[in-house]
Amino acid sequence: MAETEAALRTLAHNVRVARTRAGLSLDELGRRAKVSKGALVGLEKAQGNPNFATLVRLADTLGVSVSALMEGPVEGRVRVVTADDVTPLWAGAKGGEARLMLTTTGAAPVEVWRWTLEPGEEYPSHPHQAGVVETVSVTAGRMVLVVDGAEHAVEAGQTATFDGDAPHTYRGAGDRTCHLIMTVHIPPGPGATA
């Protein structure tokens, strides 16, 4: 329970700082991210339990990574993260999951995700802000990547990349679990220096 409360306090602080840095009022952030002002007020008070889609919309609107909203300050020059130490941010109905392993630092951060998708299981994603580029590398199994309505088969050993500003879906295919590494390349946010 203490870990959850600490995580909510970190999230509240990071959202408030990012919102202030972007020069957005609660009303304006809510309008752009399609999140109610009440939910934002609660979030900035470390109350509530935002879902994954809400976190993605807030991060996109604020021009930061999801993990920039969730992580405390970076300590040291090297970070080593174990998958079992990272809580899944998405859990599918058939047992698939997505874990945000880490986000690089700098003006244009990159999120590194580990996903599993069971056959027929899918995750539909809303379009991200302009400039976001996603890359998926399938390490085992098969998936179907749907971008703007067009389906693309991606098998073990293959990598696909696309602009994330279109609707897209990840779907497990075949008869076994699909394992993939996804990276999300985020353009520099407000006030970033190259």
Side-chain angles (χ1 to χ4, degrees), residues 59-151:
D60 277 350
T61 302
L62 294 167
V64 298
S65 66
V66 172
S67 64
L69 296 180
M70 300 178 63
E71 294 178 348
V74 176
E75 298 177 16
R77 293 178 63 118
V78 176
R79 288 181 291 160
V80 177
V81 180
T82 302
D84 292 338
D85 293 337
V86 178
T87 303
L89 290 179
W90 172 79
K94 296 181 179 181
E97 63 182 27
R99 295 174 189 253
L100 176 57
M101 300 305 296
L102 62 85
T103 301
T104 62
T105 58
V110 177
E111 296 176 348
V112 179
W113 293 78
R114 290 179 67 145
W115 284 73
T116 58
L117 293 166
E118 296 302 324
E121 186 171 51
E122 66 179 37
Y123 176 78
S125 179
H126 73 285
H128 300 294
Q129 65 175 316
V132 170
V133 175
E134 293 194 22
T135 302
V136 291
S137 295
V138 176
T139 59
R142 295 180 8 202
M143 72 173 289
V144 173
L145 172 64
V146 183
V147 178
D148 211 11
E151 294 188 1

Side-chain angles (χ1 to χ4, degrees), residues 1-9:
M1 193 67 158
E3 283 183 16
T4 301
E5 290 173 5
L8 278 173
R9 283 192 303 274

